[in-house]
Amino acid sequence: MLLFLQKKKESEIDTPSTRAAAIRDEALRLGFDAVGFAPARLGPEVRARLDAFLAAGMQGEMGWLADRAEQRAHPQALWPEAVSVIALGMNYGPDHDPRDLQAQREVGAISVYARHKDYHDIVKKRLKALARWMVERWRGSELKVFVDTAPVAEKPLAQQAGLGWQGKHTNLVSRSHGSWLFLGEVYTTLDLAPSTPGQDHCGGCTRCLSACPTAAFPAPYRLDARRCISYLTIEHKGPIPEEFRAAIGNRIYGCDDCLAACPWNKFAQAAREPGLIPREDLTAPRLAELAALDDAGFRALFSGSPIKRIGRDRFLRNVLIAIGNSAEPALRPVAERLCADPSEIVAEAARWALARLPAAAST
């Protein structure tokens, strides 16, 4: 009789709600800042938005968005056995407004997310630790972990799991962390009690839309990636269209303007994860020094950084556009030297920069 009661008690404890509570506690212990749960399903509106985005060609050169659209819009199309999704967020908030750097014309502005170690590695390491704990606790269950390198609709899932809502800039907004959350997901065969979905709190605010230097938002909640500085400086492989170059300013990798403009950032805190503390040498790097990098120097400087993946030539293309926007005569010799660079994408940007730089004042 005692054994029967003990088994019944254990069975009652292991419910979708108690599982979710235990996972939340462990995830927070591991260093995640936000945790939520959702069924492994998304409504048809997610696929409809994605189809409209692709039909308009707004993905630019990001062909992978179309290649696996079905799996991106439907979690069970990626993994049919998935029952629940655990959405997790890690805060990477800056301790200052990143837009302040744009006034310093002799330095480059790197997006906040890329000023430290590659967040993919940091988040995935924590996800794997959580996964090992889950598999040990619920033997026989299965799971998969993702950090934005798989066809996963991260932001809709995060909203469904209650981490926040997709703002008018299309990024996730959290009432606790503003616009500064890295996202990761665990797809699992466990049945977990869902969180209350996030509700849109943008109201009539359009600060993020107005902040975009290149008018990349044709309407609220719609992004034309082909006009986005993050896309142009990271994903775009060829010469950056001249119509956007002046607006890029000194942004040499990514752009934070729409994120930084969000008033919900007043509740955000600076990142506490050691691996997400900005490197001093990437906070305000001097353009002249970056322009001197050869391939080996580029790889050494950005070892372990997400910047490494775009390669030296694309990066120097961005640096030279910033040099061309600097109005600093002292940077003319830098641009002149790179006009003869073996890479045409670098040489073309150097010629453009040189044509815009004022001549040094005669003495």
Side-chain angles (χ1 to χ4, degrees), residues 18-329:
T18 57
R19 290 179 205 136
I23 291 169
R24 180 188 303 277
D25 289 345
E26 180 64 12
L28 294 174
R29 188 191 70 80
L30 288 170
F32 288 103
D33 298 292
V35 189
F37 307 90
R41 299 183 301 275
L42 287 169
E45 69 280 0
V46 174
R47 181 59 191 267
R49 287 198 302 268
L50 178 58
D51 286 346
F53 175 77
L54 296 171
M58 292 183 180
Q59 77 277 21
E61 297 175 11
M62 297 183 291
W64 39 270
L65 285 172
D67 293 341
R68 303 182 73 180
E70 178 67 18
Q71 294 173 316
R72 186 173 299 278
H74 302 291
Q76 290 177 338
L78 178 60
W79 189 35
E81 291 77 14
V83 174
S84 303
V85 174
I86 308 166
L88 302 115
M90 187 172 287
N91 172 46
Y92 73 102
D95 60 2
H96 64 286
D97 188 331
R99 295 172 294 179
D100 294 345
L101 199 62
Q102 293 164 20
Q104 301 180 42
R105 297 181 299 183
E106 75 285 357
V107 305
I110 293 173
S111 180
V112 172
Y113 91 87
R115 296 181 185 178
H116 37 65
K117 294 181 180 179
D118 193 332
Y119 75 92
H120 295 89
D121 299 333
I122 296 171
V123 176
K124 180 160 280 191
K125 181 178 180 181
R126 300 294 172 82
L127 287 175
K128 288 182 175 179
L130 180 62
R132 287 192 295 269
W133 177 85
M134 289 175 59
V135 169
E136 180 65 25
R137 177 153 181 165
W138 291 285
R139 294 185 180 276
S141 65
E142 298 180 70
L143 52 79
K144 295 181 184 292
V145 302
F146 304 104
V147 187
D148 91 4
T149 53
V152 173
E154 290 194 306
K155 290 173 283 188
L157 283 170
Q159 177 166 343
Q160 187 167 290
L163 268 61
W165 69 96
Q166 277 192 267
K168 292 177 182 177
H169 54 18
T170 75
N171 292 290
L172 192 78
V173 182
S174 162
R175 296 182 74 169
S176 302
H177 305 286
S179 294
W180 313 108
L181 279 179
F182 289 134
L183 300 176
E185 298 76 35
V186 178
Y187 284 17
T188 176
T189 56
L190 289 173
D191 183 15
L192 303 173
S195 307
T196 301
Q199 299 298 310
D200 192 323
H201 293 284
C202 286
C205 178
T206 57
R207 292 186 195 178
C208 61
L209 309 183
S210 301
C212 181
T214 53
F217 299 102
Y221 308 102
R222 293 185 62 201
L223 169 68
D224 187 344
R226 297 167 298 183
R227 302 183 65 89
C228 174
I229 293 176
S230 287
Y231 168 82
L232 291 167
T233 57
I234 299 172
E235 303 293 345
H236 184 66
K237 297 178 181 178
I240 292 176
E242 290 199 26
E243 63 178 300
F244 302 123
R245 295 186 184 187
I248 286 174
N250 67 341
R251 302 169 187 84
I252 57 175
Y253 188 90
C255 177
D256 294 311
D257 288 28
C258 67
L259 301 178
C262 181
W264 284 98
N265 289 330
K266 64 186 177 182
F267 298 110
Q269 302 293 319
R272 60 188 177 89
E273 160 62 40
L276 298 180
I277 303 301
R279 286 170 44 180
E280 186 175 349
D281 59 342
L282 298 186
T283 299
R286 300 190 67 81
L287 294 173
E289 295 175 6
L290 295 175
L293 293 171
D294 58 12
D295 189 65
F298 171 82
R299 291 177 178 275
L301 178 62
F302 296 112
S303 177
S305 162
I307 298 174
K308 185 178 178 180
R309 78 177 182 88
I310 70 170
R312 176 259 185 190
D313 295 348
R314 259 193 280 176
F315 183 71
L316 258 63
R317 170 202 65 186
N318 300 341
V319 170
L320 283 160
I321 288 174
I323 287 175
N325 290 328
S326 71
E328 292 288 343

